Amino acid sequence: MAGGGGPDMEVSDEELMRRAGLRQPQEVCGISSAIVVDNIPEVGKERLAKLEAVVMKIMSRFGTIVGKPYFPIDDNGVTRGYVFLEYRNEKEARSAVETANGYRLDKSHIFTVNLLTDFQKYMDLPDEFTPPEPAEYTREENLRAWLQNNDAHDQYAVLYKGGEGCSIFTNTPNEPVPVHEKDYWTDKYVKWSPQGTYIASLHAQGVILWGGENFSRKRRLFHPNVQMIDFSPCERYMVTFNGAPDHDTDPQAVIIWDVRTGEKLRAFNGQQHKEWPIFKWNFDGSLFARMTENVISVYEAPGCNLLGKESLIIRGVRYFSWSPTDNIIAYWTPEESQVPARVALMELPSRIEIRTMNLFSVADCKIVWHGQGDYLAVKVDRFINNRKKATVANFEVFRMREKQIPVEKLELKDTVQGFAWEPHGTKFAIIHEPQAAHGVSVSFYEMAADKLKHIKTLEKKPVSHIFWSPQGQFVVLAGLKQSNGVFEFYDTSDMTLMNVTEHLMATDVEWDPTGRYVVSQVSWWMQKVDTGYIVWSQQGRLLQRHSVDRFCQLLWRPRPKTLLADEEVKRIKRDRKEYSKIFEVKDRMTHSKASKALVERRRRLMSDFTEYRRRVESEITEAQRKELRGGMDQEDGEFDEEIVEYLVNVDEVILK
């Protein structure tokens, strides 16, 4: 080296690289960024340009393709069914292999994508088979661990800071217990799966599914600019929507995914649909359907092929809905010329109409299923005054479990603003505004064994929404948004008003899955001040109040359907008084422990403050104190004395 250093001063290249914090360049295979896409259409020279454009459009989503794709051609000038592509680097190539493998171009062509370097690996396999070493057993996370909580406490997700923060809490009677917290968990919003197994987060590149005790990443579904998501009731499938333009050969707006494997099952166009969800699932997730003009298309899962040879052609169909417990769809068609409007029930896959009803002077219909599929309510808006004005005339209520499906008619002739079935029961509630009165009324009805029975009407109520407990019986009548945030809690077993509360500017209400708690929220997405949420008991007693910075949403974690038989559930309800004694003792112990913990916490804080004050006082000298008082000594200084009087009480004596 320069400077006359001897051999002992020589430093190797490896040592210089190590000291500089650099790694020595490694030899890289020139084909590590190349891939092979198999199972593409075999076409002649006249269609090669179109095939190249389609392949480039699809594969360019996963990275930047370098150069032109290479299509091997046989002696007849026809492509051999595979193509070679090269990306900028190996990372993009591997991303294309992971994401595009299994891509369905059409029914006959499903892509198989591999790295070009993998072919050499497969060619170098030994002639004799050597059984691999058995992999060490890895225990999978319990995806339903939260159900093992001894006190059956539920969890909920909170999105705050305008969407920048997201936390999972366990709800306890005194205060929520943090379970998991993460910043920038999502770019838009989060959503629980129907049975609570996963929580999905939306991102610019697609959707991520999280689950397990530590909420680790389980699946990643690549769908750029995804806007909306929806699960099947069985949680096995997911539908994603990103609003991409319709394309005849390469639809990308709507994609059906297999949640267990992350496999893309099929893509559909979505521009012609104006409501979400585009696809509606039957009760067990085996069928899904969508509606276009005059057509209802029903598909089977997981194949995503049409049920039968063709779609249902129903002239003028406006709306349809699945029964929540049976393979039955309800739909309605409007009047046309001399043909009346019609509501029909069709059983699938037989396509037999099991019940129809003709309606006249119809402006619109709304179809609402009972949660257990026992009843179907059709709200009919009828024309009056020569079709110049529409008003609600009646409800048609179908008894689905009775022979020939009889129909009950309820005539209101009022403007209806809301309707809701009791989830587990036979009641329903209607918000309506009588024409001859000022104010809103809420009426409760019951589907008795022989007739439709009116229970009670509450008049002049500040109500805009009805929220039934998931278990039935209890209901919250809420005035949301511009209705002053008034909440009335009712027990519908005897129509007792349990409490009247208030949450100003409340925007949402969410019952927990067990029906023990209800949450009112002020979302930052709708209101920019006083955001947060309040937890109430089912009787309307305030339990917790939380002010949260830019609070966006609170979502209770759903619970799967109980495994108990109906007879066992009825027995537990019948013996509820015996269980309640045990729970009351446990609740008192819980509150006692909580009160003791609170006292201990306050004592600890006071002790810490006293110690801090003593330490600071010992560090500051008298001279420093005098300097802080502007050089004035407390003993010889002049102070103004001020007397403050407080009114303690007032005794009022009446003299006769």
Side-chain angles (χ1 to χ4, degrees):
M1 294 182 63
D8 294 338
M9 298 298 293
E10 292 183 0
V11 181
S12 65
D13 294 340
E14 291 79 3
E15 180 65 17
L16 288 174
M17 296 291 291
R18 187 187 66 78
R19 293 180 181 180
L22 302 174
R23 292 196 301 178
Q24 188 172 2
Q26 301 292 324
E27 183 179 356
V28 178
C29 177
I31 60 173
S32 60
S33 59
I35 66 171
V36 182
V37 183
D38 205 351
N39 292 337
I40 65 172
E42 298 179 6
V43 300
K45 293 182 179 180
E46 66 280 358
R47 299 179 57 191
L48 181 58
K50 183 177 181 180
L51 176 63
E52 180 179 338
V54 171
V55 171
M56 289 290 288
K57 181 178 179 181
I58 296 172
M59 303 305 296
S60 295
R61 299 176 189 150
F62 316 114
T64 302
I65 297 178
V66 179
K68 291 178 64 64
Y70 174 64
F71 293 85
I73 299 175
D74 61 15
D75 297 336
N76 298 322
V78 179
T79 59
R80 295 180 179 272
Y82 55 92
V83 60
F84 295 90
L85 299 171
E86 183 180 358
Y87 286 91
R88 288 186 302 180
N89 50 54
E90 184 179 355
K91 181 179 179 181
E92 292 184 358
R94 291 188 177 277
S95 175
V97 171
E98 293 178 4
T99 311
N101 190 41
Y103 179 89
R104 183 188 294 269
L105 183 63
D106 53 41
K107 293 182 180 179
S108 304
H109 300 92
I110 301 176
F111 289 176
T112 299
V113 187
N114 290 284
L115 290 171
L116 191 57
T117 52
D118 289 341
F119 283 85
Q120 187 63 41
K121 178 178 66 176
Y122 299 144
M123 292 175 63
D124 293 340
L125 290 176
D127 296 334
E128 296 183 2
F129 173 73
T130 303
E133 292 290 332
E136 184 179 353
Y137 172 74
T138 303
R139 180 179 177 271
E140 292 291 337
E141 285 188 288
N142 184 0
L143 296 179
R144 294 189 172 180
W146 91 98
L147 296 175
Q148 298 175 347
N149 186 287
N150 293 330
D151 297 316
H153 290 152
D154 286 288
Q155 294 183 353
Y156 60 81
V158 176
L159 193 65
Y160 53 95
K161 292 183 181 179
E164 296 179 0
C166 186
S167 298
I168 310 294
F169 294 96
T170 296
N171 180 54
T172 60
N174 300 292
E175 61 181 10
V177 178
V179 176
H180 191 77
E181 183 177 356
K182 190 172 183 179
D183 291 333
Y184 303 102
W185 201 347
T186 178
D187 296 338
K188 294 181 177 68
Y189 62 91
V190 295
K191 183 175 182 177
W192 292 104
S193 59
Q195 299 178 22
T197 306
Y198 305 99
I199 185 169
S201 59
L202 279 70
H203 305 269
Q205 296 300 317
V207 180
I208 298 178
L209 300 179
W210 313 81
E213 301 176 22
N214 300 315
F215 290 94
S216 57
R217 189 170 71 181
K218 300 302 178 184
R219 299 289 180 273
R220 184 176 180 180
L221 311 178
F222 181 79
H223 197 185
N225 303 317
V226 61
Q227 300 173 12
M228 308 289 288
I229 62 174
D230 184 44
F231 285 91
S232 64
C234 61
E235 292 188 336
R236 183 174 176 182
Y237 309 105
M238 174 186 276
V239 185
T240 59
F241 171 77
N242 70 352
D246 288 350
H247 194 282
D248 294 337
T249 60
D250 184 27
Q252 288 298 317
V254 185
I255 299 179
I256 311 290
W257 304 88
D258 188 319
V259 170
R260 297 177 185 175
T261 63
E263 178 187 1
K264 175 181 175 181
L265 299 179
R266 186 173 174 182
F268 296 85
N269 288 322
Q271 290 293 316
Q272 56 186 323
H273 298 278
K274 298 181 180 180
E275 64 176 19
W276 182 261
I278 292 175
F279 289 101
K280 299 178 182 180
W281 295 86
N282 72 333
F283 70 100
D284 62 0
S286 61
L287 301 173
F288 60 97
R290 67 171 177 174
M291 184 183 70
T292 54
E293 186 176 358
N294 298 327
V295 175
I296 296 178
S297 301
V298 183
Y299 301 87
E300 294 180 289
C304 298
N305 298 316
L306 280 174
L307 179 66
K309 296 182 179 180
E310 59 183 14
S311 300
L312 304 174
I313 308 299
I314 304 172
R315 185 173 179 82
V317 61
R318 290 287 185 85
Y319 181 83
F320 82 99
S321 180
W322 285 97
S323 164
T325 54
D326 302 282
N327 282 333
I328 298 174
I329 61 170
Y331 65 88
W332 81 278
T333 58
E335 295 178 82
E336 185 177 355
S337 300
Q338 301 300 319
V339 180
R342 195 166 69 105
V343 175
L345 299 172
M346 179 181 290
E347 193 273 337
L348 293 171
S350 67
R351 304 193 180 196
I352 297 175
E353 290 188 349
I354 58 177
R355 187 68 161 89
T356 61
M357 171 176 282
N358 293 332
L359 303 170
F360 299 90
S361 301
V362 175
D364 192 16
C365 287
K366 300 295 183 185
I367 297 175
V368 186
W369 284 95
H370 179 262
Q372 304 304 308
D374 297 335
Y375 310 101
L376 171 67
V378 180
K379 181 177 77 73
V380 183
D381 295 345
R382 295 186 183 275
F383 285 113
I384 60 174
N385 298 335
N386 297 324
R387 296 178 176 264
K388 293 182 179 180
K389 182 180 179 181
T391 183
V392 173
N394 64 287
F395 281 84
E396 309 288 346
V397 185
F398 295 72
R399 294 179 178 266
M400 298 298 299
R401 304 304 182 195
E402 298 184 19
K403 188 177 181 180
Q404 296 182 348
I405 311 180
V407 179
E408 300 276 1
K409 179 174 290 188
L410 173 62
E411 295 189 3
L412 286 178
K413 296 184 179 180
D414 296 340
T415 301
V416 173
Q417 300 179 4
F419 176 95
W421 283 104
E422 181 184 18
H424 291 270
T426 58
K427 305 183 189 72
F428 62 85
I430 303 174
I431 303 175
H432 57 101
E433 186 175 359
Q435 296 179 358
H438 297 285
V440 173
S441 299
V442 183
S443 295
F444 290 85
Y445 296 85
E446 183 174 9
M447 299 295 295
D450 54 346
K451 64 177 181 179
L452 180 61
K453 179 183 177 182
H454 175 253
I455 301 175
K456 189 173 184 178
T457 295
L458 308 173
E459 298 180 347
K460 296 182 179 180
K461 292 293 182 180
V463 174
S464 61
H465 294 75
I466 305 167
F467 297 97
W468 284 96
S469 165
Q471 304 304 319
Q473 182 177 343
F474 300 99
V475 67
V476 175
L477 304 181
L480 298 183
K481 299 177 183 178
Q482 304 302 325
S483 301
N484 300 324
V486 177
F487 297 89
E488 296 186 359
F489 292 76
Y490 284 89
D491 182 349
T492 61
S493 61
D494 54 6
M495 292 308 300
T496 301
L497 176 60
M498 298 180 292
N499 199 6
V500 179
T501 61
E502 187 179 63
H503 189 180
L504 292 176
M505 307 307 293
T507 58
D508 302 280
V509 171
E510 286 274 353
W511 280 92
D512 81 311
T514 63
R516 294 180 294 176
Y517 306 99
V518 63
V519 169
S520 59
Q521 315 171 31
V522 178
S523 174
W524 182 76
W525 287 335
M526 299 182 184
Q527 299 289 340
K528 301 303 180 184
V529 295
D530 298 331
T531 58
Y533 62 95
I534 298 177
V535 182
W536 314 86
S537 70
Q538 64 180 8
Q539 292 84 15
R541 181 167 57 90
L542 192 152
L543 302 178
Q544 303 171 24
R545 184 189 296 270
H546 301 277
S547 296
V548 183
D549 177 33
R550 290 175 290 164
F551 166 82
C552 296
Q553 66 176 154
L554 182 147
L555 296 174
W556 288 99
R557 189 171 193 173
R559 284 177 171 266
K561 185 178 179 181
T562 179
L563 300 178
L564 298 176
D566 293 340
E567 292 75 14
E568 293 176 312
V569 174
K570 291 179 181 178
R571 180 182 58 80
I572 292 173
K573 290 183 178 180
R574 187 171 56 250
D575 301 337
R576 186 180 299 173
K577 291 184 179 179
E578 299 180 9
Y579 297 118
S580 63
K581 297 177 182 178
I582 302 174
F583 294 147
E584 287 174 1
V585 173
K586 193 170 185 178
D587 287 343
R588 284 195 296 269
M589 294 177 61
T590 301
H591 286 294
S592 176
K593 291 179 180 178
S595 300
K596 184 177 180 180
L598 182 62
V599 171
E600 291 295 330
R601 179 172 176 270
R602 290 175 176 175
R603 286 177 178 173
R604 187 170 61 254
L605 290 174
M606 189 63 189
S607 175
D608 293 343
F609 172 75
T610 303
E611 175 62 23
Y612 170 76
R613 181 176 179 178
R614 184 195 61 77
R615 187 174 69 253
V616 172
E617 287 180 345
S618 64
E619 294 174 354
I620 299 179
T621 62
E622 182 61 31
Q624 290 174 321
R625 294 194 185 95
K626 187 173 182 180
E627 182 180 355
L628 291 173
R629 293 193 292 268
M632 183 173 57
D633 195 348
Q634 185 174 358
E635 296 181 358
D636 56 8
E638 297 181 1
F639 298 94
D640 295 330
E641 182 178 357
E642 181 178 356
I643 300 175
V644 180
E645 296 182 354
Y646 295 94
L647 179 63
V648 178
N649 56 29
V650 176
D651 294 332
E652 183 177 349
V653 180
I654 301 176
L655 301 177
K656 297 184 179 179

